[in-house]
Amino acid sequence: MVFEIAPRAYYKVILHCLKYSQYAVNGVLLGKAAKGDVWVADAVPLFHLSLGTAPMLEIALTQVDCYCQKNDLSIVAYYQANELASESEPDPIAKTIISRIKTNYPSAQLVMVDNANIQKTGSLPLTIYSTNKWEPAGNLKLTGDPKCLDKINILLRTNHQHSLIDFDNHLDDVMLDWLNPALNQLLITSQISDI
């Protein structure tokens, strides 16, 4: 299996984890899957307060599913960073949520964030887990800009993690857009080194 993640999706996952570094966070990765291979185009940060609260999760996944249908995308993975830096393996919440997602998106994968290595330059702190044995599985590759791993540090030095909106923020204030259009625009139109 090949699992490729675009810089935009990677940046959002890392910014989400670092904006709420004192909490567990989760979200979904959107893209396309074919013949066991996955290409991730974007990430939708979901929660940082209570990851598995059923009503809020259902609302969020319904909204994301509608967005996917309109944009010819699928939920290709669920990501989670546990609360403690020393814990990077799937917990019961991760297992339950990926099982729920797989009812609508059977090829969806589980991606866990390695908090202990999240700020290590040149390191890709994401691991794909098998959803039947709950063990690391598959290859994860960052596509696009070869300096992507270094550019995340520029985004952090300029405090762009605070501009990321997750679904919890949206539920607190519906004027905050969980699709992150302002951050997307920054990531598309700007050379991050010029920020």
Side-chain angles (χ1 to χ4, degrees):
M1 169 180 60
V2 175
F3 193 101
E4 296 181 342
I5 185 167
R8 176 168 127 173
Y10 174 74
Y11 292 146
K12 286 183 179 180
V13 171
I14 301 304
L15 292 174
H16 191 211
C17 294
L18 294 174
K19 180 177 182 180
Y20 298 107
S21 58
Q22 70 275 29
Y23 300 112
V25 299
N26 68 0
V28 290
L29 302 176
L30 310 181
K32 303 218 181 240
K35 299 179 185 175
D37 294 338
V38 176
W39 181 77
V40 178
D42 202 357
V44 176
L46 294 178
F47 302 109
H48 65 273
L49 292 175
S50 51
L51 306 189
T53 307
M56 292 190 307
L57 181 63
E58 288 300 318
I59 291 167
L61 290 177
T62 300
Q63 292 291 316
V64 171
D65 188 49
C66 289
Y67 175 79
C68 285
Q69 289 177 14
K70 290 178 185 174
N71 292 281
D72 194 30
L73 295 169
S74 296
I75 296 175
V76 295
Y78 165 78
Y79 76 84
Q80 182 172 305
N82 291 328
E83 186 172 3
L84 300 177
S86 60
E87 295 179 6
S88 61
E89 295 190 1
D91 66 3
I93 292 172
K95 293 174 182 178
T96 299
I97 293 175
I98 188 60
S99 296
R100 162 62 184 90
I101 290 170
K102 285 176 90 55
T103 60
N104 291 333
Y105 297 95
S107 63
Q109 303 292 316
L110 173 62
V111 175
M112 295 299 296
V113 180
D114 179 3
N115 286 329
N117 293 312
I118 201 165
Q119 288 188 290
K120 203 181 266 187
T121 303
S123 171
L124 192 62
L126 306 175
T127 304
I128 304 165
Y129 274 80
S130 158
T131 55
N132 56 359
K133 296 181 183 176
W134 307 113
E135 298 174 346
N139 300 320
L140 193 100
K141 179 183 173 188
L142 190 56
T143 62
D145 188 350
K147 294 184 179 183
C148 180
L149 291 174
D150 298 325
K151 289 182 177 181
I152 192 71
N153 292 323
I154 296 168
L155 288 167
L156 294 173
R157 277 196 312 269
T158 53
N159 290 315
H160 279 88
Q161 70 272 24
H162 299 296
S163 64
L164 181 120
I165 306 298
D166 69 8
F167 213 82
D168 266 333
N169 301 135
H170 173 72
L171 291 173
D172 288 340
D173 178 356
V174 294
M175 298 302 290
L176 298 174
D177 191 342
W178 55 270
L179 290 171
N180 287 286
L183 183 60
N184 289 341
Q185 192 63 33
L186 170 77
L187 297 175
I188 291 170
T189 61
S190 170
Q191 295 297 326
I192 291 174
S193 59
D194 296 337
I195 295 175

